Amino acid sequence: MIEMKRGKLLLAEPYMEDPHFKRSVVLLTEYSKEEGSVGFILNKPIAMKINELVNDFPDIDCPVFYGGPVAQETLHYIHDLGDVLDDSISISPNVWWGGDYEKLKFLISSQYLQPRNIRFFLGYSGWSPGQLEDEMLYGSWVMSDMDSNYLFATRHVEMWSKVMRNKGDRYSVIAEMPDSFILN
């Protein structure tokens, strides 16, 4: 079993019916047995662009994604800018979370940061201490390694299947399962 830690992906098992997480790919950005866990759903865009959501935001054609059911009034961002965006937290190779908001706006205004470099999220996914471990034992999630290409170069509609297929063996079969039992 892959060790649960920051930078891992959680793939919803194919029969999960929870509308928040059905066929979701969640990036763990914080993990602690004592404190709980935080992550963002990477493959569920909402029908808004960042400029429609935030007043006085520099012009950038970026969709916003549903990060999860917790604190849906909060905005988060994951990017590949590394140390260029001060106070960012390294999640995995070429994947960073957060950072100085004013500098973010400056980097967008100066066109240094492009839509291909960043994803915005409303809300987040959170688990209390022990909750995620229980869900893993129950079989709700399949864990996988993160690759920045999943986030920055894979279409959201293909992400769950692609990550599952890349795990190989029996997961390749799971990746081909239809989204609805009716289609089976």
Side-chain angles (χ1 to χ4, degrees):
M1 181 173 171
I2 298 173
E3 177 188 5
M4 212 174 329
K5 64 181 182 177
R6 171 188 289 168
K8 294 295 184 179
L9 292 176
L10 300 174
L11 304 166
E13 60 85 15
Y15 299 110
M16 184 183 287
E17 290 297 319
D18 181 332
H20 296 289
F21 295 107
K22 185 175 183 173
R23 295 274 170 139
S24 65
V25 177
V26 179
L27 173 61
L28 281 179
T29 54
E30 289 183 7
Y31 174 77
S32 167
K33 285 185 178 184
E34 297 77 28
E35 302 291 323
S37 304
V38 172
F40 296 94
I41 301 172
L42 303 181
N43 60 332
K44 295 193 181 237
I46 61 174
M48 293 187 86
K49 301 281 185 182
I50 188 68
N51 297 92
E52 297 171 303
L53 191 64
V54 180
N55 294 331
D56 290 336
F57 201 79
D59 189 35
I60 186 169
D61 187 22
C62 261
V64 177
F65 288 78
Y66 173 69
V70 182
Q72 292 182 13
E73 71 286 353
T74 60
L75 180 69
H76 306 267
Y77 40 96
I78 297 176
H79 53 86
D80 66 0
L81 297 176
D83 292 330
V84 172
L85 188 52
D86 301 334
D87 302 324
S88 296
I89 299 169
S90 177
I91 301 302
S92 67
N94 302 314
V95 179
W96 299 73
W97 174 29
D100 183 279
Y101 184 71
E102 292 305 316
K103 188 162 186 183
L104 171 73
K105 293 192 312 185
F106 170 77
L107 293 170
I108 293 170
S109 295
S110 64
Q111 297 185 349
Y112 181 84
L113 188 148
Q114 297 293 315
R116 70 179 174 273
N117 303 109
I118 192 164
R119 297 291 177 270
F120 292 96
F121 301 90
L122 271 183
Y124 65 91
S125 301
W127 295 266
S128 59
Q131 182 182 2
L132 185 54
E133 291 83 356
D134 288 346
E135 290 180 15
M136 292 295 293
L137 287 173
Y138 183 72
S140 298
W141 301 101
V142 173
M143 190 159 318
S144 183
D145 290 323
M146 174 61 176
D147 183 304
S148 63
N149 288 317
Y150 292 144
L151 182 58
F152 299 115
T154 303
R155 292 181 25 188
H156 69 275
V157 296
E158 300 167 351
M159 190 180 298
W160 184 88
S161 294
K162 182 174 185 171
V163 177
M164 196 67 81
R165 194 170 25 259
N166 286 347
K167 287 187 64 62
D169 299 329
R170 66 185 175 117
Y171 298 103
S172 296
V173 174
I174 293 171
E176 303 307 319
M177 292 176 74
D179 188 23
S180 173
F181 300 117
I182 295 169
L183 301 176
N184 223 356

